[in-house]
Amino acid sequence: MGLTFNAPIWLIFLPPAWGICVRRKDFLSLKNIAAFLFATGLVLALAQPVIKKTSRGGTIVLVADRSASMPSDADRRHAEIISMLEKEKGGNDKIAVVGFAEKIFVEQVPTKAPFGGFEGDFSGNASDMSGAVKTALSLIPEDSSGRILFVGDGFYTGANPADILAGGMRGITFDFRHISKGGTSDPAIASFDIPGKVEKGELFRMDAELRIPPGVKGMKYSLVKNGGKILASGVLRISQENERFSFYDKVDEAGFTSYSLRIYPDGDDPVPRNNTAENALFAEGTGKIFHVGPPDSGLVRIASANGLQVDHFAPEDADISLFRLGAYGSVILENVTANSIGYKGQEALKSFVSDAGGGLMMTGGKRSFGVGGYFRSPVEDVLPVTMEIRREHRKFTSAVVVALDRSGSMAVPVGDKLVKMDLANRGAASILELLTDNDMIGVVAVDSQAHIVHKLSTISGRRGEIRRKILGIKSMGGGIFIYEALLRSAKLIADANAATKHIILFADAADSEEPGDYEKLIAHLRKNGVTLSVIGLGTEKDCDAFLLKKIASLGGGNMFFSNRPEELPQLFAQDVITVFKGAFLEEEIPLALAADLPLIAEIPAAAPPPLGGANVCFLKPGASLGISG
């Protein structure tokens, strides 16, 4: 505790008051002592003394808008503000960071440590500002002072955040810092609303709201149905800044129909992504089923025998998009990997379910759920289960060494101010979500030499530090020397005291050099119980793809190729989940009927037979469980 004053200027009158009283001849008289005490009390009262407790520190939460309406350098400007907060905060203050767009991601829990950078991947034009504020409030302890700093353009979708600010701030200060695209020069589709369900043959209305810069009197547009048919096009006449337009159509076939509205601004456009909006509706009737899986599927035979119309596609031919799914009522993914349908296909499936109300069924198998690469994927967002490997399913500790290509090819831009290296780093960092505190991780960055980023060690107490090291890796030029990467990784993991020892090599499939005597080295690793997987950035047709496939085959691990850098976090996670072997049980699984089965299907006359294996998943809150194992 300490004594301080709100108006200390009054204290300058104490010395003169005391001097007058002391100089009086009757200083010790009762009258003079009373005058002395009165003058002292009056001055102290005017100075407004307060007793302050020693500060325990407060929590500052920065809420960062990362939606499509933000300028391209928004993350850099967010980071600058966070850096300024870190310099100005008190010794006991903590800083948390929440990022949001369509989804909300806690980028950093309250901590005194420096911010490690944004990791959440956001897509779409939605801005759930209300949900982000709720999340920020939840990060501030009840018994702590707090402040929320919102940094964004102020546009939001969904619930009005003002309701939260008015009713539930519990004394917490809310500040707003505006970041825009530099004026109102960005034309955009603010909303595109259509009915969720109509009758077949029913005429219905679609409503669109545009955000148009001042002075623009007209805007070219097109409205496309099911990805091909142009339903309407021309020039929309603008009469006010936020203009609403309506379109009409009817659907003659049962199932889903998709619509895409696009505007075509003249001149420069700061954020072209918000010039297109997609939506879909369902026409009552029996919709067709879009099946992706093996050609000899028994599931397809059963559905067809019961009068359902099923169109089968091999994963490589599925070409999943919201437009293509417009003619279907539901989708079945039968034991196919996430990588085989692609990241854009996964996003289309998520929109098909969450926005258009389509049905999605995923069957189990060794190419599905967690082992199939759907952990932390767009598809997992709309499934009733999660796919993490929980501690109770991990019987042994693991040691993982990641060797990352940081050659010159990793400096190629991939959009949103990111380069390939940034997404490779995020992929490697995503492994930390699957490791326990007792597991070990080591990281090597490789060009023409191998550089130790983090020595192999247990994660306990160092998770944030390791993440920051991984995310800080930069492309440094040259090519990747494969033998150097494998040799340094082998030395790191050689003495690891772990039941599972695994190396992940990430390399450009078109720029992998100097393999050396890799076969002998990999044979030594396998003899010592180490497995090796390879993630190749590129395709199987690239010049070094054969080498990478041979390395993975000899290493007893997985081989993944992808020319979509945004898929890398999923591939790293998929590999680790596969190696841990805790995500798929190869044993007989007895089944039991659950209480929610009547909500899903008719109750069978007899209990279902046991399964020969199962994917390990966990039910989400609010999901219905029909049969459990």
Side-chain angles (χ1 to χ4, degrees):
M1 293 187 180
L3 179 67
T4 186
F5 298 90
N6 288 335
I9 188 66
W10 289 97
L11 296 178
I12 64 174
F13 293 101
L14 275 181
W18 288 343
I20 293 172
C21 293
V22 169
R23 289 191 181 95
R24 292 176 61 91
K25 293 180 179 181
D26 57 345
F27 172 68
L28 297 177
S29 68
L30 186 61
K31 180 180 179 180
N32 194 54
I33 292 173
F36 175 83
L37 294 175
F38 175 78
T40 301
L42 177 62
V43 172
L44 290 177
L46 292 171
Q48 302 177 31
V50 291
I51 297 176
K52 286 191 175 181
K53 295 181 179 180
T54 302
S55 173
R56 293 183 297 172
T59 301
I60 305 170
V61 185
L62 183 130
V63 180
D65 185 349
R66 304 186 67 204
S67 62
S69 63
M70 294 292 289
S72 58
D73 65 341
D75 277 359
R76 176 187 63 78
R77 295 162 74 174
H78 290 319
E80 289 176 351
I81 294 172
I82 295 170
S83 177
M84 180 181 67
L85 290 175
E86 289 173 342
K87 292 178 181 178
E88 298 296 329
K89 71 179 180 66
N92 293 321
D93 292 333
K94 296 180 180 180
I95 294 177
V97 180
V98 174
F100 79 96
E102 182 180 45
K103 296 189 295 184
I104 300 165
F105 192 83
V106 178
E107 302 278 4
Q108 177 174 283
V109 297
T111 180
K112 296 179 183 179
F115 181 55
F118 289 101
E119 298 177 32
D121 292 320
F122 299 98
S123 61
N125 296 322
S127 296
D128 187 6
M129 182 177 173
S130 179
V133 173
K134 286 182 181 178
T135 302
L137 283 169
S138 71
L139 295 175
I140 301 175
E142 291 285 347
D143 60 346
S144 171
S145 61
R147 196 178 200 96
I148 295 175
L149 173 59
F150 179 89
V151 183
D153 58 12
F155 294 110
Y156 66 88
T157 56
N160 189 341
D163 296 337
I164 300 174
L165 300 180
M169 294 299 289
R170 65 174 201 267
I172 294 171
T173 303
F174 183 91
D175 298 313
F176 174 73
R177 178 160 181 176
H178 185 259
I179 290 181
S180 69
K181 296 180 274 311
T184 56
S185 60
D186 176 51
I189 301 175
S191 64
F192 180 44
D193 301 320
I194 66 177
K197 185 181 294 185
V198 297
E199 295 289 337
K200 187 171 63 173
E202 174 188 353
L203 186 68
F204 64 90
R205 189 180 76 183
M206 296 171 275
D207 294 314
E209 181 178 357
L210 307 185
R211 189 168 66 242
I212 303 298
V216 176
K217 302 300 182 183
M219 183 70 64
K220 294 180 182 178
Y221 81 100
S222 64
L223 178 62
V224 177
K225 182 177 181 178
N226 285 338
K229 180 181 178 182
I230 298 178
L231 195 63
S233 63
V235 178
L236 299 173
R237 298 302 174 188
I238 310 299
S239 59
Q240 59 186 37
E241 184 175 339
N242 290 291
E243 186 66 72
R244 297 188 66 87
F245 298 91
S246 296
F247 309 93
Y248 294 87
D249 192 29
K250 65 177 181 178
V251 180
D252 296 324
E253 294 185 3
F256 281 93
T257 300
S258 62
Y259 295 87
S260 175
L261 177 64
R262 184 173 182 180
I263 58 174
Y264 302 88
D266 293 328
D268 294 335
D269 185 6
V271 186
R273 289 177 296 176
N274 55 25
N275 295 343
T276 302
E278 300 174 350
N279 214 329
L281 57 76
F282 181 74
E284 292 283 7
T286 303
K288 294 188 297 182
I289 298 174
F290 189 99
H291 174 265
V292 186
D296 57 346
S297 168
L299 193 61
V300 172
R301 290 197 300 271
I302 293 172
S304 300
N306 284 273
L308 298 176
Q309 186 176 352
V310 183
D311 289 344
H312 163 75
F313 301 92
E316 60 271 19
D317 300 325
D319 189 24
I320 297 175
S321 67
L322 191 59
F323 297 127
R324 190 170 191 185
L325 296 178
Y328 296 88
S330 57
V331 175
I332 297 177
L333 299 179
E334 184 175 357
N335 197 25
V336 294
T337 64
N339 190 38
S340 67
I341 63 176
Y343 194 81
K344 290 184 178 179
Q346 296 171 53
E347 288 188 316
L349 281 172
K350 177 182 177 180
S351 181
F352 177 69
V353 175
S354 61
D355 299 332
L360 173 63
M361 174 182 177
M362 178 182 287
T363 70
K366 293 183 179 180
R367 298 171 62 82
S368 188
F369 291 98
V371 292
Y374 291 96
F375 175 71
R376 293 288 186 267
S377 72
V379 173
E380 186 186 29
D381 291 342
V382 294
L383 290 175
V385 295
T386 62
M387 306 169 201
E388 71 270 22
I389 301 178
R390 295 182 178 175
R391 184 171 299 178
E392 57 266 30
H393 291 274
R394 293 279 310 283
K395 298 180 180 179
F396 306 103
T397 58
S398 301
V400 179
V401 172
V402 183
L404 290 175
D405 179 354
R406 74 166 195 181
S407 62
S409 61
M410 292 296 107
V412 175
V414 291
D416 292 331
K417 301 294 184 179
L418 298 175
V419 297
K420 290 181 178 180
M421 191 78 250
D422 295 320
L423 296 178
N425 294 345
R426 291 182 181 183
S430 70
I431 295 175
L432 292 169
E433 297 183 47
L434 299 168
L435 301 177
T436 69
D437 286 349
N438 294 326
D439 291 328
M440 292 177 281
I441 189 171
V443 184
V444 182
V446 188
D447 41 50
S448 57
Q449 298 181 41
H451 310 270
I452 302 297
V453 176
H454 178 74
K455 292 183 178 180
L456 187 72
S457 65
T458 56
I459 294 175
S460 180
R462 308 183 66 186
R463 200 175 295 267
E465 172 194 347
I466 298 170
R467 184 185 300 277
R468 286 190 291 274
K469 286 182 178 179
I470 296 173
L471 295 177
I473 299 173
K474 303 295 183 184
S475 172
M476 302 298 286
I480 176 175
F481 283 20
I482 294 297
Y483 189 81
E484 282 293 320
L486 296 178
L487 180 61
R488 186 59 63 92
S489 299
K491 289 180 178 179
L492 277 183
I493 208 167
D495 299 324
N497 183 20
T500 300
K501 293 187 284 187
H502 185 61
I503 296 172
I504 301 175
L505 172 65
F506 168 75
D508 193 324
D511 190 27
S512 297
E513 309 173 50
E514 302 293 335
D517 193 359
Y518 69 92
E519 295 185 17
K520 182 178 179 180
L521 178 56
I522 295 175
H524 176 75
L525 287 171
R526 299 293 291 123
K527 184 178 179 181
N528 287 276
V530 181
T531 54
L532 169 64
S533 293
V534 180
I535 299 175
L537 185 59
T539 71
E540 294 188 56
K541 297 180 180 180
D542 288 332
C543 59
D544 296 317
F546 178 80
L547 168 64
L548 298 183
K549 291 170 68 174
K550 185 72 175 295
I551 290 172
S553 176
L554 294 174
N558 299 306
M559 178 71 242
F560 300 105
F561 286 103
S562 178
N563 57 4
R564 308 179 188 94
E566 65 272 15
E567 293 181 351
L568 293 179
Q570 282 181 244
L571 296 182
F572 276 92
Q574 180 180 355
D575 180 64
V576 171
I577 289 175
T578 305
V579 170
F580 286 168
K581 304 185 187 301
F584 190 85
L585 304 178
E586 297 188 75
E587 58 192 58
E588 187 173 277
I589 310 294
L591 299 179
L593 303 182
D596 293 335
L597 182 58
L599 302 175
I600 304 171
E602 294 183 5
I603 300 178
L611 295 175
N615 299 81
V616 176
C617 300
F618 301 91
L619 206 67
K620 291 180 180 178
S624 299
L625 179 64
I627 299 177
S628 63

